[in-house]
Amino acid sequence: MDRRRFMAGTATATAGALAVFGSATPSSAREAGEASGTGSADSGGDHVKGLTAITQVFGSGQKLVAVAVEYDRDIDGRTLSTSTFTVTDRTVTKVYTNRTADLTERSRDGRYVIVELSPDDTAAALWVTGQGGGTGTPPTGGTGDSGGGVGAGGPKVGDTTPGGTIVAAKATLTQAGTVTTTRGRQYAASTTGLTTDAVKNLIVDDFQQFTFADPATGQTLKYNLFVPKHYNPRKSYPLVLFMHDASVVNVATEGPLVQGLGAVCWASPEDQARHEAFVLAPEYGAVVIDDDYEPSTLFDATANLVESVTQQYSIDPDRRYTTGQSMGAMMSLGLNIRYPDLFAAAFIVAGQWPEAQAVPLAQKNLWILVSADDTKAYPGEQAITEVIQEQGTKVSTALWDGQSTAAEFAADVRSMKAQRTPVNFAAFKTGTTVPTGSTTSAHMGTWQIAYTIPGIRDWIMRQSL
C-alpha cells in the first residue's frame, strides 16, 4: 500500500483532498541570495512542495494529529513557533523541523516542518460514532451499556448497518509567519490556505489488506494483516487475532485498525520490540453474533482464516492469541469453547457468553476486563468466572480505577500477575470508566482504556498451549 495515499473508508471517505502544489524552481539569483544569507523574502507558498496529513490511532479512534509541510530547502527550526502556522479549526501545539514527514521528539533541520495539532480538537476525530470519537448521529441498533451493541435491542446476526463513520483525513494550513531556510533565505507569510495532498497513517499503514474465500463455509472475509518488519520464514512467530465490535460492521476493510487500539497496539514499534508477532484483524460485513448466541458462518470462517494464515506464514500454532471487544469479545469466548486448541490465551474486553457453556473455558488462559457499570457484560463475565472457579481453576480478581495513570495500571497488572493464576478478572470501578463530560458509554469506554495497558498484552504473549 502506498502510505501517502491511504484510502481510509468507502469511496465517499477518501483519505485527503487532493491539491496540486507548484514548487517554483529558484532562479540563479535566488540561489545566490540564499548562499550569501542576504535574508531577502518571497512568498512561502511558492516553495511548498506538498502537505501530508499525519494520523494516529487512540483508544477512541483515529485522529489527525499533524501536518508535515515539505519545502524546497532545509528549514531552520530555531526560527519557528506555534504562531508560524495556522490550521483551520485546529489548535497548533508544536512546530519543528524534520528530515522526513514523521513525528519526532527531537527536532532536526530538514525540508519538512511538522505542525502538531491537539488531538482533543473536535475536528481531530476521523472515527466517528454516536458515542465518543467526535460528533455525529447515534447509529441505529443498541450502542448503550447493556450488550454492547449486540444485545438488548441491538443489531442482530446478519445486520449490515455501520455503526461508525471514517472521516477523510485532510487539513487546510496557512503559513502565517516567516519561514527561514538554514542558509538564511526568508519565505514570507502568506494568506493562502494550502490543503493536504497526502496522508500518512501511523501503524495503520503497516498493515496489508487481503480477502479470504473460505471453501468450508462459502464465506468471504476481508482482513488486515501485519507482518513483522523483519519477518524471517526460518523463525516461528506468534499471531494475535483482533475482532471488532458491531459498530465497525461493513465500514471499510481498514475499519478495525482505525476504530481504536485493539488491533494496532500489538503492531506498535514498542510492542514489536518486545514481542515480534503477526496481527490479524478481519472486517466483518455483517453482525456475526447477538444475544441468541447462535453465530453466523462468519464465526467458523474466522477460525478457518486463522488456520489459513498460520499455514501461509511461519506461525507457531502453540502461540496464537485472540482478543476482541463487545461482539469480538463474545466471539473470542465462543471460539475458545468450540475450538479449544486454536488459541493459547485470550484477552476478553467487555463481552459475555452463556455460563451454561463456559466449562471448557476453565482450561484456558484468560485475561478478562470489563466495567462494573456495564450492566450486561459485567454480570455476564462474573457468571462465567464462577463456572471456571467451580471447575477448580484459580482466578485472580481485582477492581481497578479506570482513570489510573500508566504507572498505576502497570502496578495493578504486576499485582495480578504475581498471583500466577491462569485466569485474571479485572473490573473498572463504578464511575471511573467514562471521563467527565464524555458522551460515550461505560461499555464502549472499557475498550478505549483496555488496549492502553501494555502489561496485559505482555502476559498474553507469554502464554503457550
Side-chain angles (χ1 to χ4, degrees), residues 10 24 46 165 253 267 288 334 362 403:
T10 63
D46 293 339
T165 303
T253 303
V288 182
Q403 301 302 310

Side-chain angles (χ1 to χ4, degrees), residues 389-401:
Q389 290 175 312
E390 289 170 358
Q391 299 302 307
T393 300
K394 293 183 178 180
V395 178
S396 297
T397 61
L399 279 174
W400 292 352
D401 186 338

Side-chain angles (χ1 to χ4, degrees), residues 47-87:
H47 297 273
V48 172
K49 307 284 286 184
L51 277 74
T52 299
I54 300 176
T55 76
Q56 182 178 351
V57 180
F58 295 80
S60 58
Q62 188 182 53
K63 299 183 179 185
L64 200 164
V65 297
V67 175
V69 188
E70 182 184 5
Y71 284 91
D72 57 1
R73 293 287 185 272
D74 286 357
I75 302 302
D76 183 353
R78 297 170 300 176
T79 66
L80 303 174
S81 71
T82 55
S83 63
T84 306
F85 298 90
T86 62
V87 178

